[in-house]
Amino acid sequence: MLQIENLEFSYHKKKTPIFNGISLTIQPGSVYGLLGKNGIGKSTLLYMMCGLMFPHKGHVTLDGVEVRHRYPETLEKIFLVPEEFDLPAISVDAYVRRNSVFYPHFDREQFDRYLADFELENVKNLAKTSMGQKKKYLVSFALATNTPLLLMDEPTNGMDIPSKSQFRKVIASGMNEQKSIVISTHQVRDLENMIDRIDILEGGRLLLDRDTADITSHLRFVKGASEADVEGALYSVSTIAGYSAILPNPTGEESPLDIEMLFNYAIEKPAEIERIFANPVK
Amino acid sequence: MNEYDITPNAQEATASVAARPTASNLFNLKRFGRYCSKQIHEWKRGLLLQFFSLAGIYTLLMFLFHSTDEKGLTPSIASTGIQIIIWLGFFVYIAKSASSLADQIGRRSKRVLYLVVPASTAEKYIAHLLWTIVLYPILFFAAILVAQYVSEVASSMIRGEAFNPGTPLQGLLTFWNNNMYSTSFLVNYTINIIVTFTLGATLWQKNSFLKTIAACFLLGIIVIVFYTTLLDKEELESLFTFLVVGNYLDSFNNNDLVWILNGISAVEYLLFGYIGYMRMKELEINETKR
Amino acid sequence: MQFKENQTIYLQIAERISDEILLGHYAIGARIPSVREYAALVEVNANTVMRSYEFLQTQGIIFNKRGIGFFVSPDAKHKIKEYRRNEFLKTELPRFFMQLYTLHIPMDEIDSMYREFINNLTSNPSNQES
């Protein structure tokens, strides 16, 4: 289990800090969606979660050990799929053989299944594949390592539309109760229905850190509604098919969460979101 | 529903072990072996390319300088000219190889995957030193060996010169046993270059090789300026000499002096090596520089 | 899978599985896909599919054999229809009544129209729902 406590960080001493006291606990069994505008520090937070960047204040610990030491016993529990990376000029097979040995729970059968799901071949030279292809190889490998913590930075960037659908399938089948997956993205549509906890990063803090079920019990999301229906809406947009809106949810009736709308609402009215979700989870 | 066997107990066990920097977290021979094997396989293509380029370049050089040799009496490789070219090339190649650490950690896209490999900093650092001390020299001299025979064959076939390849790598080490050098100098130079350029790679990732050379020149100039200024003031100079080599310099013969210099170098390796290691340990992803 | 806009995902998945049971994709007593397999199929978080399964379980449509998986209950088809009937009476019908009321349509008119509809349906078996 990964624990982030009172994280503070800034690139330059005088500028406004990137992180101003962030605390977050990553529990096994959930897919975390780390959302935020471009340049807000999503990647930086992911790097800090795996010890590639060091906080100025606060701690990031995995099972009680500071990740910044980058001890092998910590690193073998984390897999990071960066936004941009290079793969070595070797075959898929050689890559798997040389890299899987570092991960005690690696499963070759799973890897082959994910390759099949992505319709990937055992190419001879990984370095020569496109960025989208590289991502699919690395995501397959990452899931097959079965590390308790899997971090992905904008994983669907560079993937074509069929690949995004395959990506969702692979994540859904690669997920289990021992794992936690943290996905940073600003393309929430790609991951709709995949995320079960939402973390919105804004203004150096975590504006929201809640389970989707908890969010829909506080807020009601409607689509294609008439103007009268959305009266008293917290947030609404007009579309061709009528109004899409977020309404208060006094009855606790469940509705399908629209992450994009929630995100826009949170960014526009951060104070309201904080007020609504001020009470700790029951 | 779960197909994996990560039992909660097993995870707790590893957590309690990992709470302190255990020996296994600093260095583990098995993991080190795996890391080395990973690197060598990932670099296979690059290393082969280096081997063939080196062999090609030296074949050409040996072929060109072949005729300057006394015909047929000494093999081409044993001539002083070729030997200087070989050793000069060796030092440059070793320096470049030591600098190549900067390539692995220079670009962010590479550095990220370099840092997250579950091996300790010591393992990664020692693996790099091992390559520069063992792998690259072997690669270099294997290329020289190939060049030695190919160039001989080429000269005898194209120019019709006498075919006299000599023994493998003939006389390369005797070059260092001449009056003014000793083989310990060779070892000393080699390690010095490796440690210096490795440190350079941890300090500067862009143009690491050139920057390290520039830094060495700068350091050399400072030492020379320092020493020539001292020369004017005899008392200071003798004090300085005393501090560095002691006042019993006269009682030492040439051989002892060599070992004193080697001893000083050893301290330098340890210092540079340690700074390099600490730099690697504290290496981060710099988000602002892409 | 295309999801409707105003119903929660887990209920839509439960509906889909119910449809598949009614159509005979999963026979009575047969094992249905594991949570993860189904999650991959519909590209939805496994926890959401777990909720769908739990929901179907409380409705008595499927049952859980520990360590093996989920199976279609012997009276699943009956349970599905019963659930849908209740849902219709509880949620759809009040809306329908509201329309009748606001548009001033008398119940007698509806009654005769319904009889005609049933007549059509039984005289022309090809229209009949399976």
Side-chain angles (χ1 to χ4, degrees), chain C residues 6-68:
Chain C
N6 281 329
Q7 195 186 10
T8 58
I9 304 297
Y10 88 94
L11 283 178
Q12 291 189 51
I13 292 167
E15 282 290 306
R16 176 180 157 136
I17 295 168
S18 299
D19 282 339
E20 285 169 340
I21 291 171
L22 288 179
L23 289 169
H25 288 346
Y26 308 123
I28 298 301
R31 189 177 158 270
I32 62 169
S34 75
V35 170
R36 256 193 291 160
E37 281 163 2
Y38 212 86
L41 190 70
V42 293
E43 296 173 21
V44 161
N45 190 299
N47 290 336
T48 308
V49 176
M50 193 63 218
R51 282 189 75 193
S52 310
Y53 278 31
E54 277 164 5
F55 175 78
L56 290 170
Q57 205 180 346
T58 51
Q59 298 298 327
I61 295 165
I62 60 173
F63 65 97
N64 187 5
K65 272 191 201 165
R66 285 222 173 270
I68 309 174

Side-chain angles (χ1 to χ4, degrees), chain A residues 202-214:
Chain A
E202 173 68 16
R205 294 168 304 135
L206 268 185
L207 192 53
L208 184 71
D209 169 36
R210 287 294 173 116
D211 284 341
T212 50
D214 191 40

Side-chain angles (χ1 to χ4, degrees), chain A residues 208-232:
Chain A
L208 184 71
D209 169 36
R210 287 294 173 116
D211 284 341
T212 50
D214 191 40
I215 292 167
T216 50
S217 77
H218 282 83
L219 301 171
R220 197 156 66 86
F221 293 81
V222 293
K223 272 182 186 169
S226 68
E227 201 174 342
D229 286 340
V230 298
E231 217 180 79

Side-chain angles (χ1 to χ4, degrees), chain A residues 94-162:
Chain A
Y95 181 84
V96 170
R97 226 166 337 122
R98 302 299 156 193
N99 287 279
S100 62
V101 288
F102 296 101
Y103 299 96
H105 301 288
F106 182 82
D107 186 328
R108 176 72 206 230
E109 268 177 40
Q110 273 184 57
F111 177 76
D112 290 335
R113 207 165 60 226
Y114 301 141
L115 281 197
D117 286 344
F118 272 130
E119 294 166 7
L120 289 171
E121 289 163 26
N122 280 316
V123 288
K124 284 272 181 303
N125 188 347
L126 277 171
K128 278 189 181 162
T129 56
S130 70
M131 196 61 225
Q133 298 285 94
K134 282 195 186 92
K135 271 212 170 150
K136 291 191 270 180
Y137 282 110
L138 200 64
V139 167
S140 304
F141 185 77
L143 283 164
T145 58
N146 289 310
T147 52
L149 181 60
L150 173 53
L151 310 171
M152 292 195 255
D153 196 359
E154 302 283 359
T156 55
N157 263 12
M159 285 189 190
D160 55 17
I161 291 167

Side-chain angles (χ1 to χ4, degrees), chain A residues 230-241:
Chain A
V230 298
E231 217 180 79
L234 299 164
Y235 179 86
S236 73
V237 279
S238 147
T239 64
I240 307 164

